[in-house]
Short mmCIF file of all heavy atoms in Angstrom, two decimals:
data_model
loop_
_atom_site.label_atom_id
_atom_site.label_comp_id
_atom_site.label_asym_id
_atom_site.label_seq_id
_atom_site.Cartn_x
_atom_site.Cartn_y
_atom_site.Cartn_z
N HIS A 1600 163.04 202.04 64.52
CA HIS A 1600 164.42 202.36 64.99
C HIS A 1600 164.71 203.79 64.88
O HIS A 1600 165.70 204.18 65.34
CB HIS A 1600 165.42 201.52 64.19
CG HIS A 1600 165.57 202.07 62.78
ND1 HIS A 1600 164.77 201.56 61.83
CD2 HIS A 1600 166.27 202.99 62.13
CE1 HIS A 1600 165.08 202.10 60.49
NE2 HIS A 1600 165.96 203.17 60.82
N ASP A 1601 163.83 204.49 64.12
CA ASP A 1601 164.16 205.94 63.81
C ASP A 1601 163.37 206.84 64.81
O ASP A 1601 162.06 207.03 64.76
CB ASP A 1601 163.63 206.23 62.36
CG ASP A 1601 164.00 207.59 61.87
OD1 ASP A 1601 163.98 208.56 62.60
OD2 ASP A 1601 164.42 207.67 60.72
N ALA A 1602 164.09 207.49 65.76
CA ALA A 1602 163.47 208.30 66.74
C ALA A 1602 162.69 209.51 66.16
O ALA A 1602 161.67 209.86 66.66
CB ALA A 1602 164.48 208.75 67.74
N LEU A 1603 163.21 210.01 65.06
CA LEU A 1603 162.43 211.27 64.50
C LEU A 1603 161.14 210.74 63.93
O LEU A 1603 160.16 211.32 64.05
CB LEU A 1603 163.33 211.86 63.47
CG LEU A 1603 162.74 212.92 62.53
CD1 LEU A 1603 162.18 214.08 63.45
CD2 LEU A 1603 163.70 213.61 61.69
N TRP A 1604 161.26 209.65 63.13
CA TRP A 1604 159.89 209.21 62.52
C TRP A 1604 158.89 208.85 63.64
O TRP A 1604 157.77 209.27 63.51
CB TRP A 1604 160.15 207.95 61.60
CG TRP A 1604 159.07 207.63 60.76
CD1 TRP A 1604 158.90 208.01 59.47
CD2 TRP A 1604 157.93 206.77 61.05
NE1 TRP A 1604 157.60 207.52 59.04
CE2 TRP A 1604 157.06 206.77 59.98
CE3 TRP A 1604 157.46 206.12 62.23
CZ2 TRP A 1604 155.78 206.17 59.94
CZ3 TRP A 1604 156.24 205.48 62.23
CH2 TRP A 1604 155.48 205.41 61.05
N ASN A 1605 159.41 208.24 64.68
CA ASN A 1605 158.62 207.84 65.70
C ASN A 1605 157.84 209.11 66.40
O ASN A 1605 156.71 209.08 66.68
CB ASN A 1605 159.36 207.09 66.96
CG ASN A 1605 159.84 205.79 66.43
OD1 ASN A 1605 159.29 205.24 65.44
ND2 ASN A 1605 160.65 205.11 67.19
N ALA A 1606 158.65 210.22 66.52
CA ALA A 1606 158.12 211.31 67.11
C ALA A 1606 157.06 211.92 66.24
O ALA A 1606 155.94 212.38 66.74
CB ALA A 1606 159.24 212.47 67.25
N ALA A 1607 157.26 211.88 64.88
CA ALA A 1607 156.17 212.47 64.02
C ALA A 1607 154.90 211.63 64.14
O ALA A 1607 153.74 212.20 64.11
CB ALA A 1607 156.64 212.42 62.48
N GLN A 1608 154.98 210.25 64.16
CA GLN A 1608 153.89 209.43 64.32
C GLN A 1608 153.19 209.65 65.65
O GLN A 1608 151.93 209.69 65.75
CB GLN A 1608 154.30 207.89 64.24
CG GLN A 1608 153.27 206.93 64.40
CD GLN A 1608 152.06 206.95 63.43
OE1 GLN A 1608 152.25 207.59 62.42
NE2 GLN A 1608 151.00 206.39 63.69
N ARG A 1609 153.99 209.89 66.69
CA ARG A 1609 153.32 210.16 68.03
C ARG A 1609 152.73 211.46 68.08
O ARG A 1609 151.57 211.63 68.62
CB ARG A 1609 154.43 210.09 69.08
CG ARG A 1609 154.83 208.68 69.57
CD ARG A 1609 155.63 208.69 70.90
NE ARG A 1609 156.84 209.57 70.72
CZ ARG A 1609 158.06 209.16 70.27
NH1 ARG A 1609 158.15 207.86 69.85
NH2 ARG A 1609 159.09 209.86 70.20
N GLU A 1610 153.24 212.44 67.41
CA GLU A 1610 152.57 213.77 67.31
C GLU A 1610 151.20 213.59 66.53
O GLU A 1610 150.15 214.09 67.00
CB GLU A 1610 153.30 214.74 66.58
CG GLU A 1610 152.86 216.18 66.56
CD GLU A 1610 153.67 217.14 65.85
OE1 GLU A 1610 154.52 216.81 65.01
OE2 GLU A 1610 153.53 218.38 66.23
N LEU A 1611 151.21 212.78 65.54
CA LEU A 1611 149.92 212.53 64.75
C LEU A 1611 148.88 211.84 65.65
O LEU A 1611 147.78 212.22 65.78
CB LEU A 1611 150.20 211.72 63.55
CG LEU A 1611 149.05 211.21 62.75
CD1 LEU A 1611 148.30 212.36 62.16
CD2 LEU A 1611 149.52 210.26 61.65
N VAL A 1612 149.30 210.79 66.38
CA VAL A 1612 148.44 210.00 67.23
C VAL A 1612 147.87 210.87 68.42
O VAL A 1612 146.67 210.72 68.79
CB VAL A 1612 149.08 208.73 67.71
CG1 VAL A 1612 148.25 208.01 68.68
CG2 VAL A 1612 149.39 207.79 66.54
N SER A 1613 148.80 211.57 69.00
CA SER A 1613 148.43 212.21 70.29
C SER A 1613 147.72 213.58 69.98
O SER A 1613 146.90 213.99 70.79
CB SER A 1613 149.69 212.49 71.19
OG SER A 1613 150.62 213.31 70.50
N GLN A 1614 148.16 214.34 68.99
CA GLN A 1614 147.67 215.62 68.74
C GLN A 1614 146.73 215.83 67.52
O GLN A 1614 146.18 216.80 67.28
CB GLN A 1614 148.87 216.65 68.62
CG GLN A 1614 149.71 216.60 69.94
CD GLN A 1614 150.91 217.55 69.88
OE1 GLN A 1614 150.74 218.73 69.25
NE2 GLN A 1614 152.00 217.24 70.48
N GLY A 1615 146.75 214.88 66.61
CA GLY A 1615 145.99 214.88 65.36
C GLY A 1615 146.56 215.71 64.37
O GLY A 1615 145.94 216.09 63.34
N VAL A 1616 147.86 216.21 64.41
CA VAL A 1616 148.58 216.98 63.50
C VAL A 1616 150.03 216.42 63.43
O VAL A 1616 150.49 215.80 64.35
CB VAL A 1616 148.52 218.36 63.85
CG1 VAL A 1616 147.10 218.94 63.68
CG2 VAL A 1616 149.16 218.69 65.15
N ILE A 1617 150.71 216.71 62.33
CA ILE A 1617 152.20 216.61 62.35
C ILE A 1617 152.71 217.88 61.76
O ILE A 1617 152.16 218.57 60.78
CB ILE A 1617 152.64 215.58 61.40
CG1 ILE A 1617 152.04 214.14 61.77
CG2 ILE A 1617 154.21 215.34 61.50
CD1 ILE A 1617 152.49 212.97 60.84
N HIS A 1618 153.80 218.37 62.36
CA HIS A 1618 154.50 219.70 61.88
C HIS A 1618 154.78 219.37 60.37
O HIS A 1618 155.18 218.29 59.92
CB HIS A 1618 155.64 219.91 62.75
CG HIS A 1618 156.33 221.31 62.22
ND1 HIS A 1618 157.08 221.41 61.08
CD2 HIS A 1618 156.34 222.50 62.87
CE1 HIS A 1618 157.50 222.64 61.08
NE2 HIS A 1618 157.05 223.27 62.21
N ASN A 1619 154.81 220.48 59.50
CA ASN A 1619 154.88 220.29 58.10
C ASN A 1619 156.14 219.55 57.75
O ASN A 1619 156.07 218.68 56.89
CB ASN A 1619 154.80 221.83 57.47
CG ASN A 1619 153.54 222.45 57.58
OD1 ASN A 1619 152.52 221.80 58.03
ND2 ASN A 1619 153.38 223.63 57.15
N TYR A 1620 157.25 220.04 58.29
CA TYR A 1620 158.49 219.37 57.63
C TYR A 1620 158.60 217.89 58.17
O TYR A 1620 158.88 217.07 57.26
CB TYR A 1620 159.71 220.18 58.07
CG TYR A 1620 160.91 219.88 57.27
CD1 TYR A 1620 161.03 220.64 55.93
CD2 TYR A 1620 161.87 218.95 57.50
CE1 TYR A 1620 162.09 220.37 55.15
CE2 TYR A 1620 162.88 218.68 56.60
CZ TYR A 1620 163.06 219.42 55.50
OH TYR A 1620 164.05 219.17 54.62
N PRO A 1621 158.52 217.53 59.44
CA PRO A 1621 158.43 216.10 59.77
C PRO A 1621 157.40 215.36 58.95
O PRO A 1621 157.61 214.17 58.79
CB PRO A 1621 158.27 216.09 61.28
CG PRO A 1621 158.73 217.43 61.73
CD PRO A 1621 158.42 218.39 60.61
N ARG A 1622 156.27 215.98 58.67
CA ARG A 1622 155.25 215.20 57.98
C ARG A 1622 155.76 214.81 56.59
O ARG A 1622 155.37 213.62 56.13
CB ARG A 1622 154.09 216.17 57.85
CG ARG A 1622 152.80 215.52 57.22
CD ARG A 1622 151.62 216.44 57.33
NE ARG A 1622 150.34 215.68 56.93
CZ ARG A 1622 149.17 216.18 57.34
NH1 ARG A 1622 148.97 217.27 57.93
NH2 ARG A 1622 148.02 215.52 57.02
N MET A 1623 156.50 215.70 55.91
CA MET A 1623 157.14 215.23 54.65
C MET A 1623 158.09 214.12 54.77
O MET A 1623 158.06 213.01 54.13
CB MET A 1623 157.78 216.33 54.00
CG MET A 1623 156.90 217.50 53.43
SD MET A 1623 157.75 218.80 52.50
CE MET A 1623 158.71 219.54 53.68
N LEU A 1624 158.97 214.17 55.81
CA LEU A 1624 159.79 213.04 56.08
C LEU A 1624 159.10 211.80 56.43
O LEU A 1624 159.42 210.66 56.07
CB LEU A 1624 160.80 213.44 57.24
CG LEU A 1624 161.79 214.44 56.83
CD1 LEU A 1624 162.45 215.08 58.12
CD2 LEU A 1624 162.96 213.82 55.99
N TRP A 1625 158.09 211.87 57.29
CA TRP A 1625 157.18 210.78 57.77
C TRP A 1625 156.72 210.01 56.55
O TRP A 1625 156.62 208.88 56.50
CB TRP A 1625 156.07 211.30 58.60
CG TRP A 1625 154.92 210.36 59.02
CD1 TRP A 1625 155.01 209.57 60.00
CD2 TRP A 1625 153.71 210.21 58.44
NE1 TRP A 1625 153.82 208.90 60.20
CE2 TRP A 1625 152.99 209.30 59.21
CE3 TRP A 1625 153.16 210.90 57.25
CZ2 TRP A 1625 151.72 208.91 58.80
CZ3 TRP A 1625 151.79 210.46 56.94
CH2 TRP A 1625 151.19 209.61 57.73
N GLY A 1626 156.12 210.78 55.49
CA GLY A 1626 155.56 210.12 54.39
C GLY A 1626 156.55 209.43 53.45
O GLY A 1626 156.41 208.40 53.00
N LYS A 1627 157.59 210.30 53.13
CA LYS A 1627 158.70 209.76 52.25
C LYS A 1627 159.30 208.48 52.79
O LYS A 1627 159.58 207.55 52.09
CB LYS A 1627 159.80 210.86 52.07
CG LYS A 1627 159.43 212.00 51.20
CD LYS A 1627 159.46 211.75 49.72
CE LYS A 1627 159.25 212.92 48.79
NZ LYS A 1627 159.41 212.49 47.39
N THR A 1628 159.62 208.53 54.10
CA THR A 1628 160.32 207.29 54.72
C THR A 1628 159.57 206.06 54.54
O THR A 1628 160.11 204.93 54.41
CB THR A 1628 160.59 207.57 56.18
OG1 THR A 1628 161.35 208.83 56.29
CG2 THR A 1628 161.33 206.45 56.76
N MET A 1629 158.16 206.15 54.49
CA MET A 1629 157.39 204.88 54.36
C MET A 1629 157.77 204.14 53.06
O MET A 1629 157.63 202.88 53.11
CB MET A 1629 155.91 205.32 54.29
CG MET A 1629 154.94 204.21 54.51
SD MET A 1629 154.82 203.53 56.11
CE MET A 1629 153.67 204.71 56.82
N LEU A 1630 158.25 204.78 52.05
CA LEU A 1630 158.72 204.09 50.88
C LEU A 1630 159.83 203.08 51.04
O LEU A 1630 159.97 202.13 50.37
CB LEU A 1630 159.00 205.04 49.74
CG LEU A 1630 157.96 205.60 48.89
CD1 LEU A 1630 157.03 206.58 49.71
CD2 LEU A 1630 158.47 206.42 47.77
N LEU A 1631 160.63 203.47 52.15
CA LEU A 1631 161.79 202.57 52.48
C LEU A 1631 161.41 201.37 53.33
O LEU A 1631 162.18 200.35 53.33
CB LEU A 1631 162.88 203.46 53.13
CG LEU A 1631 163.43 204.58 52.35
CD1 LEU A 1631 164.32 205.47 53.32
CD2 LEU A 1631 164.07 204.25 51.10
N TRP A 1632 160.31 201.39 54.07
CA TRP A 1632 160.07 200.51 55.03
C TRP A 1632 158.82 199.55 54.68
O TRP A 1632 158.57 198.73 55.54
CB TRP A 1632 159.64 201.17 56.37
CG TRP A 1632 160.85 201.92 56.88
CD1 TRP A 1632 162.11 201.87 56.58
CD2 TRP A 1632 160.67 202.91 58.05
NE1 TRP A 1632 162.94 202.75 57.33
CE2 TRP A 1632 162.10 203.35 58.25
CE3 TRP A 1632 159.76 203.29 58.83
CZ2 TRP A 1632 162.35 204.28 59.26
CZ3 TRP A 1632 159.92 204.32 59.80
CH2 TRP A 1632 161.33 204.73 60.02
N THR A 1633 158.38 199.67 53.63
CA THR A 1633 157.19 198.77 53.15
C THR A 1633 157.48 197.86 52.05
O THR A 1633 158.49 198.07 51.35
CB THR A 1633 156.05 199.61 52.91
OG1 THR A 1633 156.34 200.69 52.06
CG2 THR A 1633 155.32 200.25 54.13
N GLU A 1634 156.65 196.95 51.76
CA GLU A 1634 156.88 195.97 50.70
C GLU A 1634 156.98 196.52 49.32
O GLU A 1634 157.87 196.15 48.62
CB GLU A 1634 155.74 194.94 50.83
CG GLU A 1634 155.86 193.78 49.64
CD GLU A 1634 154.72 192.80 49.85
OE1 GLU A 1634 153.90 192.91 50.68
OE2 GLU A 1634 154.74 191.81 48.94
N ASP A 1635 156.07 197.55 49.11
CA ASP A 1635 156.12 198.19 47.74
C ASP A 1635 155.48 199.47 47.80
O ASP A 1635 154.91 199.96 48.81
CB ASP A 1635 155.42 197.20 46.67
CG ASP A 1635 154.09 196.78 47.06
OD1 ASP A 1635 153.39 197.47 47.72
OD2 ASP A 1635 153.62 195.72 46.59
N TYR A 1636 155.34 200.21 46.71
CA TYR A 1636 154.75 201.47 46.65
C TYR A 1636 153.30 201.41 46.99
O TYR A 1636 152.82 202.51 47.67
CB TYR A 1636 155.10 202.19 45.32
CG TYR A 1636 156.57 202.16 44.96
CD1 TYR A 1636 157.02 201.28 44.02
CD2 TYR A 1636 157.40 202.99 45.58
CE1 TYR A 1636 158.35 201.30 43.64
CE2 TYR A 1636 158.74 203.08 45.24
CZ TYR A 1636 159.20 202.16 44.27
OH TYR A 1636 160.62 202.18 43.89
N GLU A 1637 152.58 200.48 46.60
CA GLU A 1637 151.21 200.42 46.98
C GLU A 1637 150.94 200.27 48.49
O GLU A 1637 150.03 200.89 48.98
CB GLU A 1637 150.50 199.22 46.19
CG GLU A 1637 149.07 198.98 46.52
CD GLU A 1637 148.18 200.19 46.41
OE1 GLU A 1637 148.49 201.11 45.66
OE2 GLU A 1637 147.15 200.20 47.23
N GLN A 1638 151.65 199.48 49.06
CA GLN A 1638 151.56 199.18 50.49
C GLN A 1638 151.93 200.60 51.20
O GLN A 1638 151.30 201.02 52.27
CB GLN A 1638 152.48 198.21 51.02
CG GLN A 1638 152.14 197.86 52.47
CD GLN A 1638 153.09 196.61 52.91
OE1 GLN A 1638 154.29 196.67 53.22
NE2 GLN A 1638 152.39 195.50 53.11
#
Side-chain angles (χ1 to χ4, degrees):
H1600 69 273
D1601 189 320
L1603 174 55
W1604 194 94
N1605 291 348
Q1608 175 64 16
R1609 280 194 301 276
E1610 186 177 25
L1611 175 63
V1612 171
S1613 64
Q1614 300 180 33
V1616 296
I1617 308 179
H1618 187 282
N1619 291 354
Y1620 202 85
R1622 189 171 189 162
M1623 293 187 290
L1624 289 163
W1625 173 84
K1627 288 278 190 179
T1628 303
M1629 193 74 84
L1630 276 66
L1631 302 176
W1632 293 350
T1633 46
E1634 179 179 353
D1635 54 29
Y1636 305 104
E1637 172 55 28
Q1638 188 176 78

